[in-house]
Amino acid sequence: RAFSEGLARFSEPMVAFTDPLVGETHAIRVDVTARDGTRVSAVHAHDSFRRCVGQSAAGFCLDLLRRAAAAAASSDSSGGSDQGWRPGVYLPEGLARRDDGERAALLGALTTTPGTLSFAVSEEAK
């Protein structure tokens, strides 16, 4: 960790100098191995880290607001409270836990934001 932090501090001035001249590209790869041995890899590349983070945060907020509004409408029409929604702190994996189309919609919104260069998911069954 100390080496990585030192390298980041050392290269920061060079990155700050060259980014305006040649642009920036950022990518993240996530590899997950399930208990049954299934492996999934996802890669997302974007032309601006700052915009990607901002758009992702906004996307999650919009999804939470949509869920809260749906829960309120359901509660109003049924006269009870909707147990599918609770205010609180959520992680992306918690929002997309159920595979009822919400996961695909959320991923679709987050991976098609302006500036997205590529997005791919591959699965390898064991």
Side-chain angles (χ1 to χ4, degrees):
R1 179 177 175 156
F3 175 76
S4 298
E5 289 175 356
L7 185 60
R9 271 188 250 109
F10 170 76
S11 63
E12 187 174 3
M14 292 178 281
V15 170
F17 176 75
T18 58
D19 273 358
L21 300 174
V22 297
E24 58 178 308
T25 299
H26 300 271
I28 184 169
R29 175 179 169 163
V30 178
D31 296 315
V32 178
T33 303
R35 288 185 180 138
D36 68 358
T38 302
R39 294 180 53 168
V40 177
S41 294
V43 178
H44 184 201
H46 200 279
D47 68 0
S48 171
F49 178 75
R50 290 165 196 82
R51 280 191 293 141
C52 185
V53 169
Q55 290 166 345
S56 294
F60 286 118
C61 290
L62 288 172
D63 188 67
L64 289 170
L65 289 171
R66 182 191 58 75
R67 290 170 189 251
S74 173
S75 175
D76 289 345
S77 66
S78 66
S81 65
D82 182 7
Q83 297 302 312
W85 168 256
R86 292 228 190 313
V89 177
Y90 289 86
L91 298 173
E93 58 272 19
L95 292 177
R97 186 166 295 169
R98 296 177 303 175
D99 194 10
D100 58 2
E102 289 184 1
R103 178 186 312 161
L106 184 57
L107 278 175
L110 295 175
T111 58
T112 57
T113 58
T116 295
L117 303 172
S118 66
F119 175 75
V121 176
S122 66
E123 184 174 337
E124 175 187 309
K126 177 94 180 178

